């Protein structure tokens, strides 16, 4: 949650998670003072209301299983302070992201964690969309990307939970699958995917565009339903599933 530039940066970060990591749209929700209309047309006055921040958070019906990141470069925006206070009352994990020290966010003690890079005076005094905005964008990227890594949405530096939805992503999906396949090996039935785009694209289509599922299919040689079950059993962690594939293959060879 945030106001002004801070709110817009939060919305950008949340919006990028579903296409990049196949994240649920309702799992990462960004709110800014003034609502979506404030994205294009500034509504500065609403950020002065702590009650508005509390009300916007309450409208989402959060529980203690949720987390809130309150973003305010100045460290004192009432809208964000009110939301953080309410989140703390509800038992949420609370993170404050500010660009000054000391800050009201830290002094009010409503945050489990405070991330507070000190960016110093702006070239144009008070224009926190500049240095502070850049630092905020970087911090949000690090937090959200770190979460996706912990959730098993990546394999090394590859975004393997990608869902193919346009031509650019088709090319990226091919590269990802071929890179991982070259590392872990393939059964003979799928050896030609390194050179045959049509065969690889057909596998991706059968997997409804899921790169992770297609990877398990081509590496294991198993059916799609079995691969989907394997991913579900491992909580979507590709590396763990590939270890299962190696173990199953080694066991079969040993029995022979």
């Amino acid at each position: 949650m945030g106001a002004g530039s801070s709110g817009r940066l939060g919305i950008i970060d949340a919006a990028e998670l579903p296409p990049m990591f196949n994240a649920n749209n309702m799992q990462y929700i960004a709110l800014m003072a003034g609502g979506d209309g404030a994205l294009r047309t500034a509504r500065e006055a609403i950020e002065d209301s702590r009650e508005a921040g509390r009300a916007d958070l309450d409208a989402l019906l959060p529980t203690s299983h949720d987390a809130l990141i309150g973003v305010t470069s100045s460290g004192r925006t009432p809208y964000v302070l009110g939301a953080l206070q309410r989140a703390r009352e509800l038992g949420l994990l609370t993170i404050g992201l500010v660009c000054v020290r000391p800050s009201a966010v830290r002094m009010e003690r409503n945050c489990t964690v405070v991330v507070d890079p000190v960016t110093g005076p702006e070239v144009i005094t008070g224009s926190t969309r500049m240095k502070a905005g850049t630092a905020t964008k970087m911090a949000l990227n690090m937090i959200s990307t770190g979460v996706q890594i912990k959730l098993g949405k990546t394999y090394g530096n590859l975004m393997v939970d990608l869902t193919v939805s346009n031509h650019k992503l088709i090319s990226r999906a091919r590269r990802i699958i071929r890179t991982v396949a070259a590392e872990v090996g393939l059964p003979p039935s799928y050896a030609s995917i390194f050179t045959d785009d049509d065969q690889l694209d057909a596998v991706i289509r059968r997997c409804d565009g899921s790169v992770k599922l297609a990877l398990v299919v081509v590496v294991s040689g198993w059916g799609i339903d079995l691969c989907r079950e394997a991913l579900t059993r491992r909580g979507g962690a590709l590396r763990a599933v590939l270890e299962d594939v190696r173990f199953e293959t080694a066991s079969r060879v040993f029995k022979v």
Side-chain angles (χ1 to χ4, degrees), residues 2 20 25 42 49 54 59 67-68 75-76 79 92 100 105-106 131-132 137 142 175 180 225 227 243:
M20 288 182 65
N25 280 309
S49 172
R54 294 173 65 92
L68 173 68
R76 62 175 185 271
Y79 177 83
L92 277 69
V100 294
V105 164
R106 187 178 284 278
K131 283 196 300 181
K137 179 70 165 66
M142 287 186 276
R175 290 195 300 272
V180 178
D225 289 341
C227 292
E243 287 297 326

Side-chain angles (χ1 to χ4, degrees), residues 47-48 50 71-82 97-100 102-108 126 128:
E47 73 177 55
D48 292 334
R50 293 180 74 110
V71 188
T72 163
S73 294
S74 68
R76 62 175 185 271
T77 304
Y79 177 83
V80 176
L81 295 175
L97 174 53
V98 306
C99 293
V100 294
S103 67
V105 164
R106 187 178 284 278
M107 288 188 289
E108 290 194 4
T128 52

Side-chain angles (χ1 to χ4, degrees), residues 26-208:
M26 295 306 294
Q27 190 173 10
Y28 303 95
I29 302 172
L31 295 175
M32 72 174 293
D36 288 350
L39 273 169
R40 291 183 176 274
T41 304
R43 298 176 181 175
E44 303 293 348
I46 193 68
E47 73 177 55
D48 292 334
S49 172
R50 293 180 74 110
E51 287 305 315
R54 294 173 65 92
D56 282 355
L57 179 63
D58 279 339
L60 296 177
L61 304 177
T63 72
S64 58
H65 297 292
D66 295 313
L68 173 68
I69 302 176
V71 188
T72 163
S73 294
S74 68
R76 62 175 185 271
T77 304
Y79 177 83
V80 176
L81 295 175
L84 287 169
Q85 182 182 40
R86 180 57 176 155
R88 189 71 165 185
E89 292 168 1
L90 295 172
L92 277 69
L93 170 69
T94 49
I95 301 170
L97 174 53
V98 306
C99 293
V100 294
R101 297 180 195 168
S103 67
V105 164
R106 187 178 284 278
M107 288 188 289
E108 290 194 4
R109 299 182 180 276
N110 285 317
C111 291
T112 312
V113 177
V114 176
V115 180
D116 50 1
V118 178
T119 55
E122 298 287 357
V123 174
I124 298 176
T125 302
S127 183
T128 52
R129 69 183 183 84
M130 301 176 74
K131 283 196 300 181
T134 300
T136 296
K137 179 70 165 66
M138 293 173 66
L140 287 171
N141 282 168
M142 287 186 276
I143 293 169
S144 60
T145 302
V147 168
Q148 301 309 307
I149 291 170
K150 293 291 287 183
L151 289 173
K153 299 284 188 175
T154 60
Y155 183 91
N157 66 340
L158 302 173
M159 54 174 80
V160 292
D161 222 348
L162 183 73
T163 297
V164 174
S165 58
N166 61 28
H167 291 301
K168 177 186 72 176
L169 295 181
I170 289 172
S171 297
R172 183 179 297 170
R174 291 172 185 157
R175 290 195 300 272
I176 290 171
I177 292 172
R178 285 167 174 159
T179 298
V180 178
E183 175 187 326
V184 302
L186 289 174
S189 57
Y190 285 107
S192 62
I193 68 159
F194 288 111
T195 56
D196 189 340
D197 286 348
D198 291 338
Q199 184 194 19
L200 183 51
D201 292 349
V203 174
I204 295 171
R205 284 195 300 272
R206 291 203 305 272
C207 294
D208 298 324

